[in-house]
Amino acid sequence: MNFEWPWQYNFPPFFTLQPNVDTRQKQLAAWCSLVLSYCRHRRIYTLDVMEAQESPMFNHKKIERKLSVEAIQIVFEELRKKGNLEWIDKSKTRCLIMWRQPEEWGKLIYQWVSRNGMINSVFTLYELSNGEDTENEEFHGLEECMLLRSLQALQVESKAEIITMDEGKGVKFF
Amino acid sequence: MHRRGVGAGAIAKKKLAEAKYKERGTVLAEDQIIQMSKQLETFKTHLEEFASKHKQEIRKNSQFRVQFQEMCATIGVDPLASGKGFWSEMLGVGDFYYELGVQIIEVCLALKHRNGGLITLDELHQRVLKGRGKFAQDVSQDDLVRAIKKLKAMGNGFGMIPVGGSYLVQSVPAELNMDHTVVLQLAEVKHIMRSEVRWEPEHLLKEGLAWLDTQAYGDPQYWLPALFSELSARDITPDEASQMVP
C-alpha cells in the first residue's frame, strides 16, 4: 500500500528550519508525525543519522529539497523529548524509532506466549522475531534492538527474564 | 317676494348631495379596494405557486439563484435583508446563506493553523463542496462571495482581497498593509521572489502567513500556504514508489 505523504511534504519551505517560533513549532510537530508514520508504514525500527539524510523521508528529490543534518538532529531531539526516540550510541549516530512503545510490544509478545500456553518456556530472540510460529504476529520481524527493549520492559514487570546463551540472548517468560 | 336657494329644502338637498358624493367616494374606494384585494389574492397565489415551484430550484441550482438575486435587485428586493423577511421565509433563501456562512467559518477555522487565516476562493469552494457531500445542494463561487459579504457585514472579521482574477478570503483581521495587498495582486505565481518587489516579507513570516525557503536557486523565497494549491495529501506515483525501494 502506498504511503500517504502529508501536504507539508510537497511544500518546499517545509525542508527549511523556520525562523518564526510559532511556525517552527508547527513544522517540528509535522516532522515528528511524518517520521513516526513513515517508519511505522515501512516497519523501520532504527535509524542511522547519516543514512536518514538520503531517505525519501528527509530528502524529497522530486522538489529538490532535503532537511539538513542540523535540522534532522533537531527533529530527533523533539522525538526524544516526546518519548518516541532513544539513542543507541553515545555519539548519537544511531537511534531507536519507537512508533510503538517497548511496553506495548512487550504486551503483544506476552499475550502470544500465554495464549499458546508457553509460559515457562525459553525462546531465543531469533525464534521470537523470525520463527515460523510468529509469522502472523505483529512483532514478527521486530529488530533485535527493539525486541530487547520490549523484553526489558517485561523484565521490569517480572514477566520475563533475559538470559545469555551460547548462540546469543534468549528469554524466559513467567 | 320669493328668495330661492337658501332654505331648509336647499340645505337638505345639499346635504343629500354631499352624502351621495361621500357615498360614491366610499363606494369608489371600496371598489378599488375590492379590486386590489382580488389582485393581491391572485398575486399572492401566483407568488406561492412560484415559491413552491422554484424553492427546490433555488436551493439546488446556483445559476438560477444568481438570476433570482439579480431579478430581486432590479425590483429593489433584497432576499437576504433580514432572516425573517417575507422573501427569505417564502423561499428559504436566507437559511441557505446563513448555513453556508457557518460552513465557511468552519472551513477557515480548521485551516487557520496552516495558512494563517488566508485562503483562496478556489480552495474554499472545493472544501465547502467536499463538506456538503455528494447529495447536497450545488454551491457556486457567487454563493460564497455573497455569504462572505453577509459575514463581513455582521462584523466577523472577514475580508476579500482581489488576486489575479479571483479572491483571497481573509478570515482573520491581520494587519495586511497596502504593500502586501499590491504584491498579492501582482503574484499570479504560487511563490513570491524577494528580488521582484521591494517589500519586507518579515511581516508575513511574523503573521504565520508565509514560510521561508532557503533551498531555492538564488535568493531565499517566501511561500504562502494559502496560495499553495497542492495542500491535500495524495498517493505517491509508481515512479516515486520505485525510488523508495531500499
Side-chain angles (χ1 to χ4, degrees):
Chain A
M1 202 175 74
N2 280 343
F3 180 67
E4 255 193 56
W5 296 98
W7 72 269
Q8 292 94 332
Y9 187 66
N10 292 301
F11 191 51
F14 189 52
F15 295 80
T16 300
L17 198 59
Q18 291 304 303
N20 177 274
V21 168
D22 294 323
T23 310
R24 183 189 298 204
Q25 248 175 3
K26 293 181 202 161
Q27 182 187 27
L28 288 176
W31 270 114
C32 287
S33 180
L34 192 161
V35 169
L36 290 175
S37 7
Y38 184 79
C39 290
R40 173 186 272 115
H41 188 261
R42 304 285 304 245
R43 304 241 128 197
I44 294 171
Y45 302 102
T46 60
L47 280 176
D48 177 284
V49 178
M50 278 338 222
E51 277 171 24
Q53 251 210 308
E54 293 312 311
S55 148
M57 214 174 19
F58 295 124
N59 184 355
H60 193 171
K61 292 208 172 108
K62 189 156 170 267
I63 62 169
E64 293 174 310
R65 295 290 186 277
K66 62 201 280 195
L67 212 55
S68 66
V69 179
E70 296 78 33
I72 293 177
Q73 294 281 12
I74 292 175
V75 172
F76 280 1
E77 177 57 17
E78 275 304 301
L79 283 166
R80 190 198 64 79
K81 281 197 269 186
K82 286 165 67 176
N84 291 110
L85 185 150
E86 271 179 20
W87 289 108
I88 293 174
D89 60 334
K90 282 213 169 76
S91 32
K92 296 193 180 176
T93 60
R94 207 170 165 76
C95 62
L96 264 179
I97 286 289
M98 304 191 291
W99 39 269
R100 182 175 271 146
Q101 293 300 318
E103 289 74 19
E104 288 167 59
W105 282 121
K107 200 165 154 191
L108 286 172
I109 295 168
Y110 192 80
Q111 276 172 358
W112 176 79
V113 168
S114 87
R115 224 187 309 135
N116 288 283
M118 304 214 232
I119 306 280
N120 286 314
S121 311
V122 173
F123 295 86
T124 61
L125 295 193
Y126 187 81
E127 271 179 303
L128 278 179
S129 61
N130 294 85
E132 263 175 27
D133 293 332
T134 65
E135 252 166 36
N136 293 321
E137 301 305 310
E138 273 207 59
F139 56 82
H140 187 85
L142 198 57
E143 240 178 70
E144 192 172 302
C145 289
M146 199 60 214
L147 179 56
L148 262 178
R149 275 294 274 107
S150 317
L151 296 173
Q152 277 163 4
L154 282 176
Q155 193 165 251
V156 162
E157 295 175 53
S158 308
K159 287 192 164 144
E161 191 186 323
I162 300 168
I163 41 192
T164 318
M165 308 185 307
D166 290 333
E167 318 90 55
K169 291 199 164 65
V171 60
K172 181 173 181 182
F173 295 96
F174 303 105
Chain B
M1 200 144 70
H2 272 288
R3 254 207 308 197
R4 290 257 177 225
V6 184
I11 292 175
K13 239 189 193 168
K14 193 166 175 214
K15 278 214 164 107
L16 187 61
E18 276 173 4
K20 273 217 164 111
Y21 276 129
K22 211 165 160 201
E23 211 185 283
R24 196 171 299 148
T26 317
V27 164
L28 264 174
E30 248 177 61
D31 251 346
Q32 282 177 332
I33 287 168
I34 291 172
Q35 281 284 12
M36 277 163 63
S37 296
K38 282 205 184 126
Q39 279 179 345
L40 273 173
E41 248 337 288
T42 321
F43 180 65
K44 192 165 171 234
T45 316
H46 279 319
L47 202 59
E48 278 168 355
E49 275 173 21
F50 177 86
S52 61
K53 183 164 150 196
H54 294 287
K55 191 178 197 149
Q56 288 305 314
E57 200 83 44
I58 285 172
R59 288 186 81 75
K60 271 197 318 184
N61 188 332
S62 54
Q63 221 172 350
F64 187 90
R65 256 198 313 277
V66 173
Q67 287 169 351
F68 172 71
Q69 301 270 18
E70 284 169 2
M71 178 198 81
C72 289
T74 54
I75 59 174
V77 172
D78 180 5
L80 303 184
S82 75
K84 283 198 134 272
F86 167 74
W87 287 98
S88 60
E89 269 183 0
M90 258 292 199
L91 301 158
V93 176
D95 274 346
F96 174 85
Y97 286 98
Y98 174 76
E99 282 165 18
L100 186 55
V102 170
Q103 231 195 324
I104 290 168
I105 292 175
E106 279 172 1
V107 168
C108 289
L109 276 179
L111 292 172
K112 198 177 108 178
H113 71 280
R114 186 191 287 186
N115 57 32
L118 205 60
I119 187 174
T120 59
L121 188 60
D122 276 339
E123 191 188 349
L124 179 61
H125 191 205
Q126 271 173 44
R127 289 181 183 268
V128 163
L129 286 175
K130 216 165 152 189
R132 291 171 87 86
K134 272 189 289 199
F135 302 105
Q137 298 131 2
D138 178 31
V139 168
S140 68
Q141 290 201 357
D142 179 84
D143 289 323
L144 290 177
V145 170
R146 285 177 198 276
I148 290 167
K149 283 189 175 148
K150 274 298 278 178
L151 286 172
K152 190 170 170 178
M154 292 198 282
N156 271 286
F158 270 77
M160 287 193 291
I161 303 164
V163 175
S166 180
Y167 293 102
L168 275 181
V169 177
Q170 186 184 342
S171 57
V172 176
E175 284 303 311
L176 278 189
N177 65 42
M178 262 315 284
D179 286 333
H180 298 140
T181 315
V182 168
V183 165
L184 291 171
Q185 281 175 331
L186 291 175
E188 298 264 334
V189 295
K190 286 176 199 155
H191 61 269
I192 298 167
M193 303 282 280
R194 188 183 188 155
S195 53
E196 266 186 355
V197 228
R198 263 185 268 126
W199 58 283
E200 204 39 64
E202 295 307 318
H203 184 72
L204 287 182
L205 281 182
K206 200 170 72 139
E207 294 288 324
L209 291 171
W211 287 48
L212 174 68
D213 176 20
T214 58
Q215 294 177 49
Y217 295 117
D219 285 339
Q221 288 181 4
Y222 299 82
W223 295 71
L224 277 69
L227 296 178
F228 186 69
S229 62
E230 294 172 72
L231 288 185
S232 45
R234 56 177 179 87
D235 277 343
I236 52 177
T237 64
D239 268 2
E240 290 162 343
S242 64
Q243 282 176 20
M244 275 164 53
V245 174

